[in-house]
Structure formats: C-alpha cells, structure tokens
Amino acid sequence: MTQESPLFDSVAQAFAAVILQAVTSRAATSPHEVENAVRAEAERIASQNAARVVDTASRRWLSFCSLVLASYRNLLPLVAESRTALSILQSAMTGPLKAGIKAYIADRFGISQDAPEAAFEHVAETFQARGEERFGQAFTYVADVRNDKHSFTNVTKCFFNDFFRANGAPEVTPVFCAMDAVWAEEMDDPRYGVRFERPTTLAAGDDACRFQFSRRSTRQDAA
C-alpha cells in the first residue's frame, strides 16, 4: 500500500501523510525506516483483513484503517503508553479536517455559508443518503425519527468499529469518532440553527451510534 495507490484519493493521501509524519517525528531512528516499517505493517494488516472488502468504499476504508492501526502499533513503543499514542493519532486526523471544516460540511451535508440557516434541512436530506453513498455497505444506516424538528439516524454497523475490535485494538475506534466531533463543534454555532447529539456509540459498546439532529428554536438559542 503506497500513497500512489488508487485506493487513496487526494484527501486520504493528505491524512496518510499527516499520520505518518506524526509517527516518524517520534522516532529516534531514520524517519524513512520508520515509514517503511509502518507501510509494511499496514500491508500485512490489509492482507489479513481482505475478507472485509465488500465494495469500493470498504476497500478504501481497509487501506486507511490498516495504515492507522500500523501507525498505532509503531507509536506504542515510541511513546510508552496507549493514551499518548491515541492522542497523537487523533490530533493528526482531526487537524486537516478542522482546517477545511466549512468545505467539509458543504461537501458532506450540502451546507452553504451563504445560507447557514438552512443547515437543518440539508442535514435531514443528506446525512443518511450521502452517508450510505460514501461510506458504503460496511456501514448500516437506520432512519429513526423524521419530522420538521428532528432528524435522527442510527448507525448500527460501522466498518471502523468492526475492524479495530477484530484486530485487538478497540481503543482506536474513538479516534475516528473524534472526526464527527469536529463538524459537530462547527455546527454548534447558532447561525446554523442545528442542535446535534450523539448519546450512544458502537465504540462505547452500545447497540448503535445515534446521530440526532434537531432544529434549534429561538428560545433554545437564547437559553
């Protein structure tokens, strides 16, 4: 698996580069040697988990998750504790997303900065539809509540959760959950008129990740 692989689009390549930099910057030996070790480990992990590929999206997620897991395994002996390794990975993954968060919510949810007040309508329309399209068959979206005030969707199957649990590293899954926290923080701005909650997650051992979007009322904004 290399950065030139067609499994990596430009966004995935950017994330991969940041993650690898986070690992190699901690190494006392040659960064090139460490990067090669991470890539070789990622190749082995991907090969061992090849049966998880069910469509194009899951092939991409397998490549990316294999790189993250390989990075985690190589970080552990460098930083001595899991918490530090996870913090490094989380910062590496959320940093690029934070830098381009407005472009991300426009692409993922269709939210325009020219009309942020229409965010709830866009989220209600796109969260499940675009999620199924982009994340693929290794994720299961189940509509829960749909009305003019609430748009609740439960994710009952998640490639990330399944992958890291199966590979003995369930503690890594919340690093991916933290990506949702980035766009959730952006949309907490009252100008979007959306309140978001995620009371349960598969990573925490619950039966679903509950993504709950509600339209903010004027009274809620003032509270």
Side-chain angles (χ1 to χ4, degrees), residues 41-52 62 66 69 73 163 167:
E41 176 78 3
E43 288 278 10
R44 288 192 294 270
I45 294 169
S47 178
Q48 292 164 359
N49 289 269
R52 298 185 178 279
L62 175 60
S66 296
L69 181 56
R73 289 176 176 175
F163 174 88
N167 286 278

Side-chain angles (χ1 to χ4, degrees), residues 36-138:
N36 285 342
V38 171
R39 290 193 180 280
E41 176 78 3
E43 288 278 10
R44 288 192 294 270
I45 294 169
S47 178
Q48 292 164 359
N49 289 269
R52 298 185 178 279
V53 175
V54 296
D55 57 10
T56 301
S58 58
R59 187 179 298 276
R60 181 171 63 249
W61 297 131
L62 175 60
S63 294
F64 189 58
C65 288
S66 296
L67 179 65
V68 172
L69 181 56
S71 297
Y72 177 62
R73 289 176 176 175
N74 279 267
L75 268 173
L76 284 174
L78 300 177
V79 299
E81 63 174 6
S82 174
R83 182 170 57 182
T84 301
L86 293 171
S87 178
I88 291 169
L89 285 176
Q90 182 169 314
S91 295
M93 291 176 64
T94 57
L97 185 58
K98 289 179 180 178
I101 190 57
K102 289 181 173 58
Y104 177 82
I105 63 171
D107 181 62
R108 174 64 179 87
F109 303 114
I111 298 173
S112 168
Q113 295 303 305
D114 294 330
E117 68 282 358
F120 176 80
E121 285 79 5
H122 287 299
V123 168
E125 178 183 355
T126 64
F127 180 77
Q128 181 169 345
R130 290 191 183 181
E132 290 174 337
E133 176 186 348
R134 299 177 183 207
F135 286 86
Q137 298 173 33

Side-chain angles (χ1 to χ4, degrees), residues 155-198:
V155 174
T156 58
K157 181 176 177 58
C158 166
F159 182 95
F160 308 139
N161 182 65
D162 293 343
F163 174 88
F164 289 109
R165 286 188 183 279
N167 286 278
E171 68 273 19
V172 180
T173 307
V175 171
F176 285 74
C177 301
M179 306 284 275
D180 293 333
V182 176
W183 56 253
E185 181 179 6
E186 169 66 20
M187 283 199 285
D188 192 49
D189 188 317
R191 66 199 183 91
Y192 293 109
V194 175
R195 178 165 53 88
F196 172 72
E197 295 178 297
R198 191 182 57 190

Side-chain angles (χ1 to χ4, degrees), residues 191-214:
R191 66 199 183 91
Y192 293 109
V194 175
R195 178 165 53 88
F196 172 72
E197 295 178 297
R198 191 182 57 190
T200 65
T201 65
L202 291 165
D206 299 304
D207 63 338
C209 298
R210 289 175 166 81
F211 290 84
Q212 302 180 345
F213 299 89
S214 300

